[in-house]
Amino acid sequence: MKLHNLIFLGMLAGVAVGFGLWQVAEVAAKSGTAPPAWHGPVLWTLDLLGPTLFMGLLRMIIAPLILASIVAGVTSLPNLRQLGSIGWKTLVYYMLTTTLAVGIGLAAVLIIRPGERPASQEARDRALSEQSTLRERYADISGQRALDGAGTPRPEYVAWLRGQRQLAGAEGSRYEAQQRAIRAAEQRTPGEIFINDILAPMLSNPFAALADTNALGIICFALLLGIACSFVGAPAQPVVQFFQGLNGVIMQITQWLMSVSPIAIACIVAKLVADTGPSVFVSLGWYCATVIGGIGLHILLLLAICALVGRIGPRRLWQGLREAYMIAFSTRSSAATLPVTINCVTRKLGVSPKVANFSLPLGATMNMDGTALYEGVAIIFLIQIFGGLDDVQITMTAMTTLLIFITAVLASVGAAAVPNAGLVTMVIVANAVNLPIYYIPLIFAVDAVLDMFRTSTNVLGDAVGAIVVDRLEHGSSGPPLA
Ligand code: ASP
């Protein structure tokens, strides 16, 4: 059987097994007993084979792959002018498609209004009663609810903080240090954020960047190294050959990993379904439908761009990309999928490695259409659902919408290509419109599933980008794309 069919079967088997395990735990919980003895070890084995081993191996090769593929890509170009030409086309494509994605998401959430549906309102009431402790905890961070009108700490806050300190014991000082760090982070100016969060990671020590899988740092170093090799010429040939060889070797490891991917993916999906269960979708169904519907529309747009500019129709694209798409869907990490994406795009869709080796690592790090769309939908959903509470006095003016638009794009660029990263960077968008961050946990429960849809869209967007840029570079006289 073909690999993509096996991966698909693995996903289906994962859903079935995961649902069975979830059901067993539910039945036991309802009857007040512990799940059967085999339940825990089965979950442990699924976790070991899927998220730990398979994803661990994929993560292991990401950092060297980004370095090797960009150096190999840059040094294979005939001149630096071509690098510039590929570079700006790639960046323009990323900017355009990400902007379109946010636009589609905002239109969908403003038209469908998922936060105003009765089921969502019930979810809100439940969350508010369950989250009171969480609210107090975060009240300390923002410092606002902790103080009364005259700026004096409220007595209940002081009592609570004292209790926290006693409970925390030795942890206390660490807890306070965290609070200080978060408060300091909230008070930074855009200039400071640019220097600390964008420039500093880009210019970090390459070995530290490799060790931390700091993709932005690795990309910058790799570009510099590649460009310098092209300048030095013949004496740099051993360096160039080393990275080109390393690139090939990592692709071989990727092939091995792909051959075991059906089993690994079955385990990843089973573990996820067993942990989540279907009930969360009832109350947040409209929200999920809005995100998934918006993503569906954006996919149609990407397919149209690919067919019109890249001249590859949806059928060919699916045949070439399906393995990467399904792996992105189940691993929820564009970085972990990167080796497979490069493999599919160059070997099956005929994109020249010169373009793919440069644009795909960059895209996995910066171009996240699905994440950008999701950020906008999620924040407006939260405003719809919690708007009007005493600490959420936000009116959806054109200015607020524009602010969400811009920060959603930034949050998607800043998100790491790992599971649930979009949820973390959502704090940027929430802060911009003054939505207290203690309301974000409402959507935690369904985030894993939405992450599947946004990550696979992120990877699709990167792949279409590589196809389009390759086509624009070579024009109609270039080699035909497969
Ligand atoms: N998981 C996504 C990715 O790897 C990022 C996100 O959480 O939106 O592309």
Side-chain angles (χ1 to χ4, degrees):
M1 212 190 265
K2 293 258 172 57
L3 183 65
H4 57 265
N5 290 331
L6 286 171
I7 297 179
F8 188 64
L9 279 183
M11 285 167 77
L12 290 185
V15 173
V17 171
F19 187 69
L21 287 165
W22 175 82
Q23 191 71 29
V24 168
E26 272 293 292
V27 170
K30 280 203 182 111
S31 61
T33 53
W38 53 264
H39 192 262
V42 170
L43 284 182
W44 181 86
T45 313
L46 293 176
D47 193 37
L48 175 79
L49 295 181
T52 309
L53 275 177
F54 182 71
M55 288 197 54
L57 283 165
L58 277 174
R59 270 197 297 266
M60 193 189 254
I61 56 175
I62 297 169
L65 171 66
I66 297 180
L67 178 64
S69 71
I70 292 191
V71 177
V74 172
T75 50
S76 64
L77 296 174
N79 52 48
L80 287 178
R81 198 171 310 132
Q82 194 167 11
L83 175 66
S85 153
I86 294 175
W88 77 258
K89 284 182 185 120
T90 305
L91 290 179
V92 168
Y93 166 88
Y94 289 168
M95 245 159 52
L96 275 180
T97 50
T98 307
T99 313
L100 283 171
V102 182
I104 291 177
L106 293 189
V109 71
L110 290 172
I111 293 170
I112 300 176
R113 304 191 156 275
E116 290 165 17
R117 310 274 168 175
S120 312
Q121 303 286 323
E122 282 164 30
R124 173 190 70 177
D125 297 340
R126 242 193 339 270
L128 284 180
S129 63
E130 283 164 11
Q131 283 179 6
S132 56
T133 357
L134 200 70
R135 293 175 77 183
E136 282 172 10
R137 196 180 167 82
Y138 281 106
D140 183 35
I141 295 175
S142 68
Q144 284 156 10
R145 291 176 63 82
L147 308 177
D148 61 18
T152 337
R154 294 181 202 275
E156 63 271 24
Y157 165 68
V158 175
W160 171 78
L161 191 64
R162 216 172 277 139
Q164 280 290 325
R165 289 211 182 108
Q166 275 160 11
L167 277 180
E171 280 283 290
S173 54
R174 213 187 72 186
Y175 169 73
E176 279 165 26
Q178 274 173 4
Q179 305 291 312
R180 272 199 303 279
I182 294 176
R183 219 169 302 151
E186 278 188 345
Q187 284 160 5
R188 287 182 311 168
T189 63
E192 284 165 345
I193 293 179
F194 174 70
I195 290 187
N196 296 336
D197 294 0
I198 301 181
L199 221 50
M202 281 168 83
L203 303 175
S204 60
N205 165 356
F207 295 100
L210 283 168
D212 301 339
T213 316
N214 157 11
L216 218 52
I218 305 175
I219 290 175
C220 283
F221 177 70
L223 278 174
L224 198 64
L225 199 70
I227 294 172
C229 283
S230 308
F231 263 91
V232 171
Q237 268 315 300
V239 181
V240 173
Q241 274 166 2
F242 169 78
F243 282 109
Q244 283 173 348
L246 184 62
N247 199 28
V249 169
I250 292 176
M251 281 298 137
Q252 177 59 59
I253 300 177
T254 307
Q255 295 273 5
W256 288 334
L257 285 175
M258 279 171 75
S259 60
V260 295
S261 61
I263 296 172
I265 278 171
C267 295
I268 294 174
V269 174
K271 178 77 176 46
L272 186 75
V273 176
D275 285 347
T276 318
S279 52
V280 284
F281 297 104
V282 179
S283 53
L284 294 177
W286 278 102
Y287 163 62
C288 295
T290 310
V291 174
I292 296 172
I295 281 183
L297 274 181
H298 187 68
I299 290 179
L300 289 180
L301 194 96
L302 288 176
L303 293 181
I305 295 176
C306 187
L308 294 176
V309 191
R311 279 185 259 146
I312 291 190
R315 218 173 104 87
R316 273 301 295 130
L317 183 68
W318 173 244
Q319 282 169 349
L321 202 66
R322 55 194 162 194
E323 280 135 17
Y325 193 84
M326 287 190 281
I327 289 181
F329 194 83
S330 11
T331 61
R332 299 185 286 125
S333 166
S334 346
T337 316
L338 179 61
V340 186
T341 319
I342 296 184
N343 191 43
C344 289
V345 166
T346 52
R347 297 195 184 174
K348 298 198 176 145
L349 290 167
V351 172
S352 73
K354 287 180 186 146
V355 172
N357 281 339
F358 168 77
S359 76
L360 289 175
L362 197 68
T365 313
M366 290 177 50
N367 180 44
M368 298 196 182
D369 296 359
T371 305
L373 186 148
Y374 151 88
E375 303 273 348
V377 175
I379 286 291
I380 295 189
F381 171 72
L382 289 173
I383 294 176
Q384 286 171 352
I385 210 170
F386 291 115
L389 293 178
D390 57 352
D391 48 356
V392 194
Q393 297 300 334
I394 306 170
T395 352
M396 282 304 300
T397 56
M399 194 58 209
T400 321
T401 317
L402 184 69
L403 210 57
I404 294 177
F405 197 105
I406 296 170
T407 45
V409 173
L410 289 179
S412 76
V413 174
V418 297
N420 304 104
L423 199 58
V424 178
T425 54
M426 210 157 81
V427 174
I428 302 178
V429 193
N431 276 343
V433 290
N434 283 329
L435 177 78
I437 54 178
Y438 45 78
Y439 288 119
I440 298 179
L442 177 80
I443 51 175
F444 276 12
V446 287
D447 194 64
V449 174
L450 296 183
D451 199 5
M452 293 174 144
F453 287 92
R454 54 182 201 254
T455 308
S456 44
T457 313
N458 293 346
V459 168
L460 177 69
D462 298 341
V464 172
I467 292 169
V468 163
V469 173
D470 197 60
R471 175 56 73 195
L472 293 177
E473 273 304 295
H474 293 107
S476 49
S477 61
L481 295 178

